[in-house]
Amino acid sequence: MTAKNISLLDNFIQNIIDEDKKNKRYQGRVHTRFPPEPNGYLHIGHTKAILINYGIAVANGGKFNLRFDDTNPIKEEEEFVEAIKEDVAWLGVDWEDRLFFASDYFQELYDYAEELIKKGKAYVCDLTSEMIKEYRGTLTEPGTESPYRNRSMDENLQLFRRMRAGEFPNGSRVLRAKIDMSSPNMNMRDPVIYRIMKEPHHRTGDEWCIYPMYDYAHPISDALEGITHSLCSLEFEDNRPLYDWFLENLNCPEPPRQIEFARLNISYTVLSKRKLRELVEGGYVDGWDDPRMPTICGLRRRGITPEAIARFCESIGVSKSNSIVDVAQLEHAIREDLNRRAKRIMVVLRPLRVVIENYPSGETEELEIENNPEDESMGKRKVPFSREIYIEQDDFRESPPKKFFRLTPGREVRLKGAYYITCNKVIKNEKTGEIEEVRCSYDPETRGGWSADGRKVRGTLHWVSANHAVEVEARIYDRLFSAENPEEHDDFKLSLNKDSLEALTGCVAEPEVKKVEPEDRYQFLRQGYFCADKKDFTKEKPVFNQVVPLRDTWARIKARG
Ligand code: ATP
Ligand code: MG
């Protein structure tokens, strides 16, 4: 599954579109957009909005625009524009030649504001921002009209032109829509549509010193681009009457319609550019693309594929009610995806040396092991075997607890794809008493890991031949937050999980690891899925990120129903 064939046909948005098509509204056209503000990096919440907008366009033979909502010069930067473009493209979304910026429309937006003034629908207000707030009233009380509300059209026009010419200081005046100070919808109480900000803009430089508000710029940008269905998240529901008001009062012939869907929230995660920015700037994580971050570039660096993200977004569906999705559901989608595509490889994370005493020293043989038991077409690879190997420390216990089926003195286990071995002896450090080495013997009749006499062993261990081992680093991740809903706390940073990263050095891998390139993904047998780090992986010093461990709690939750 990809961004192009994500199936979103069965939802309330598609039903509205079907109805519009039937009624020949917009001449049957479907044209959507994704309008990020370039004030940070995109996160997985945005992928839901992107895939809905793009998926709906593709499914209806329509068009999709990428538009930067760059109306606030203070918070926005070129770095974010470039990063967002890269992330959207990586998701498999193609905006073709339709890349736009709200700042491209600054002149049109200004002209429309003059039009509103001339129609008596907008006025220049000299109240301070605190006063405007006070005059707005509350949810239960109507607002109070500004004393500047009834300025003449001429005076408004002159003042607005002087605002634009830079004659007034920041914050001294604003342009407001003249709607209804007693509307039950607070957004309709004469909202501000222009403010004075003597700030250079990353695209228009010093050309402007007044900037339009999002609520004003957004519907007009949509209309200018011929957008038909403006799909956004639920928190914009109360802004819809204002969206419609602007287009109605500017005589837009066939105004686009805004449709809202539920925002994506995920447990143990924060999804807000502002908060993620705080983590980056405060040094709580190692940049926007830290593999623990829910940013698209973080997910990518962690090793998650665009297909897994599309699969996840399809599984959560499109609805109108907000909820928190269990992060296990995302992990489940990742495993389903990687299980099929990832080659298996043997890596021992915490090595314990095993000497196979009856195996000839100096000898090496090559065993053939399948690359992916789920997919025979992925073939087999050769894995060297010799007298000394490493196994996982956790796979050996001198005095085993109940139900421990791995190696222990006197017990026979299978080495994956190799032989049955039996533990004969444990070698300990004389001073510390720590286990240093385990001595075993193997049964030459069990080559390939099977016994002709049908005798069974319960444990199968992964292993790496000591002489052929390649040292690698494995970074094991836990959730970035230990609270299910970090945003419940006054300071979400208080619930950061201090143990969210464990870097294991001195892990050993089979020689196949020499073929790995950055961003390649593997299943480390019995451990989990790992991805060669995009930034830090080199052939000399291979570094892997754990994408997800193998155990799948979500599958169990689902099975329980
Ligand atoms: P943030 O609070 O993270 O900065 P935002 O809504 O301010 O998010 P924008 O760049 O303004 O970020 O958002 C672009 C689009 O992405 C909006 O149309 C918004 O509806 C959508 N969006 C943002 N967050 C989510 C989310 N968690 N789930 C679904 N859609 C989202
Ligand atoms: Mg925003």
Side-chain angles (χ1 to χ4, degrees), residues 468-529:
H468 306 86
V470 179
E471 197 173 313
V472 306
E473 177 179 333
R475 296 175 182 165
I476 311 290
Y477 300 102
D478 197 354
R479 289 162 185 172
L480 187 53
F481 292 93
S482 39
E484 197 169 338
N485 182 2
E487 288 170 282
E488 254 170 19
H489 303 263
D490 289 341
D491 181 0
F492 72 100
K493 298 192 296 302
L494 290 177
S495 49
L496 276 165
N497 173 6
K498 286 181 194 64
D499 303 317
S500 57
L501 166 63
E502 185 187 6
L504 296 175
T505 52
C507 311
V508 288
E510 58 170 280
E512 184 75 10
V513 78
K514 291 178 191 156
K515 296 183 189 158
V516 175
E517 299 291 338
E519 293 199 87
D520 283 353
R521 303 171 186 90
Y522 283 84
Q523 185 195 100
F524 287 7
L525 207 73
R526 296 177 63 229
Q527 303 282 5
Y529 295 98

Side-chain angles (χ1 to χ4, degrees), residues 338-351:
L338 292 180
N339 183 32
R340 267 184 273 120
R341 71 168 72 220
K343 279 189 185 173
R344 275 55 172 166
I345 185 175
M346 292 196 285
V347 179
V348 174
L349 298 179
R350 296 172 182 85

Side-chain angles (χ1 to χ4, degrees), residues 35-37 39 46 69 75 214 235-236 263 273:
E37 184 181 358
N39 62 346
H46 292 108
D69 159 40
K75 292 185 295 174
Y214 175 80
E235 72 272 20
F236 293 102
R263 225 181 143 80
K273 282 197 232 101

Side-chain angles (χ1 to χ4, degrees), residues 36-62:
E37 184 181 358
N39 62 346
Y41 283 59
L42 298 183
H43 51 66
I44 190 160
H46 292 108
T47 65
K48 176 176 175 183
I50 295 167
L51 294 178
I52 290 177
N53 275 290
Y54 184 64
I56 288 276
V58 171
N60 291 282

